[in-house]
Amino acid sequence: MALQAVDIPGTGGFSAHTGENLIFDNARERARSISGKDFYRARTARLQRTTTTLATEELRTRVLNVLDYMDKQDLNLPLLLWELFWNNDELYSDDKARYARTELMLSEEFEQLLRLWHKPTRFHNKGVKTRAAYDVLETFVKETLSYEIDDEMKKVANAMHSPQEDLSEQYLLSIKWEECIAQVQVLAPRLWGLLRHAAYTPQQDERNSMKSPDSVCDPLAFFQNCIDDINCRLF
């Protein structure tokens, strides 16, 4: 019997069922009492409890059966994910497909997969460690971070820009570093975090409970050099 989609108010998701047998017991009631993320993780947790009871060979057989079925459908993992996430308008709006996407993106396993794809565990006695998706993820992170930092720099430049005629020794001496630091932390949290990390290691942070590293970061001098590159001035 085909699976049907049952809307669950307040969750943006659905519960698949065959006939009257719901995948989630009392799904509507549970959806009201737990957060959206926990709701989507519930089915994965339940399935994981089931798979941990299987023998390794049985689990291997099930996974290979799924891959064999995909072969018969002329699909592989790259094509499956591409169609499920982006390339098919009807799949994009389909309740079952939407639920599957959300279930993956909100899962605890997704973050673990990213970490393993970035730096996979070396298998015992295998010798060579595969690079997996290391290069792809490194490039993606650098591009994303560069975009975010450029955006934050523009916000800082706009907030701290002063007309040339307003510059004076009195004005510069009146600058309150604490206020500048607080403003930078709000406008450029990612860049501030990078500068703070460069000036103050986690080990120092743990040992030193008295001295703040904020003044060590001296972000305004750094920002001046960067903003000059985009023809802006901090002051």
Side-chain angles (χ1 to χ4, degrees):
M1 187 176 295
L3 292 177
Q4 295 177 329
V6 178
D7 292 328
I8 299 178
T11 67
F14 74 96
S15 176
H17 69 88
T18 303
E20 297 298 323
N21 298 319
L22 292 176
I23 285 180
F24 298 112
D25 295 330
N26 301 317
R28 293 180 185 276
E29 289 73 14
R30 292 175 59 196
R32 297 189 185 99
S33 62
I34 59 179
S35 68
K37 181 180 291 187
D38 289 338
F39 171 78
Y40 284 106
R41 289 179 175 180
R43 180 168 178 255
T44 301
R46 185 182 67 80
L47 292 174
Q48 191 174 56
R49 288 194 296 270
T50 300
T51 58
T52 55
T53 65
L54 299 175
T56 302
E57 184 62 27
E58 171 64 18
L59 185 56
R60 172 181 174 274
T61 300
R62 293 189 182 190
V63 172
L64 291 178
N65 285 342
V66 172
L67 294 178
D68 286 340
Y69 183 76
M70 289 172 58
D71 286 339
K72 294 176 182 177
Q73 301 298 316
D74 294 326
L75 288 172
N76 60 8
L77 276 177
L79 290 177
L80 175 67
L81 293 175
W82 182 251
E83 295 297 327
L84 180 63
F85 277 84
W86 302 116
N87 199 46
N88 191 305
D89 291 340
E90 292 185 3
L91 273 178
Y92 193 77
S93 60
D94 181 83
D95 282 345
K96 185 176 181 181
R98 184 167 63 244
Y99 184 89
R101 289 192 300 268
T102 306
E103 193 174 40
L104 171 62
M105 301 303 291
L106 295 183
S107 68
E108 294 177 330
E109 288 76 14
F110 183 64
E111 180 180 351
Q112 296 171 12
L113 282 170
L114 288 175
R115 294 184 183 278
L116 287 172
W117 289 336
H118 183 228
K119 293 185 178 180
T121 302
R122 187 192 301 272
F123 290 101
H124 295 300
N125 302 321
K126 294 297 183 180
V128 179
K129 181 177 180 179
T130 178
R131 290 181 66 84
Y134 180 88
D135 293 335
V136 173
L137 290 174
E138 287 283 308
T139 300
F140 172 75
V141 169
K142 290 175 182 177
E143 290 177 352
T144 303
L145 187 58
S146 296
Y147 173 82
E148 294 290 343
I149 288 178
D150 287 344
D151 185 60
E152 290 183 350
M153 288 295 300
K154 292 176 183 178
K155 293 178 181 178
V156 171
N158 291 333
M160 296 192 174
H161 173 76
S162 294
Q164 184 72 29
E165 57 270 20
D166 290 347
L167 292 177
S168 66
E169 179 179 358
Q170 181 180 3
Y171 172 78
L172 293 175
L173 292 175
S174 69
I175 293 174
K176 297 181 180 180
W177 288 98
E178 293 80 5
E179 293 180 0
C180 290
I181 288 173
Q183 192 171 18
V184 170
Q185 287 175 325
V186 172
L187 295 174
R190 293 175 182 83
L191 183 53
W192 179 268
L194 288 175
L195 293 173
R196 190 183 192 283
H197 179 77
Y200 213 66
T201 67
Q203 292 78 10
Q204 289 175 306
D205 217 354
E206 184 176 348
R207 290 196 309 265
N208 191 351
S209 60
M210 299 296 293
K211 181 180 178 182
S212 170
D214 291 343
S215 59
V216 180
C217 292
D218 198 7
L220 296 181
F222 174 83
F223 287 145
Q224 180 66 64
N225 294 329
C226 294
I227 293 172
D228 284 344
D229 293 336
I230 56 175
N231 298 319
C232 295
R233 297 179 63 89
L234 276 176
F235 304 106

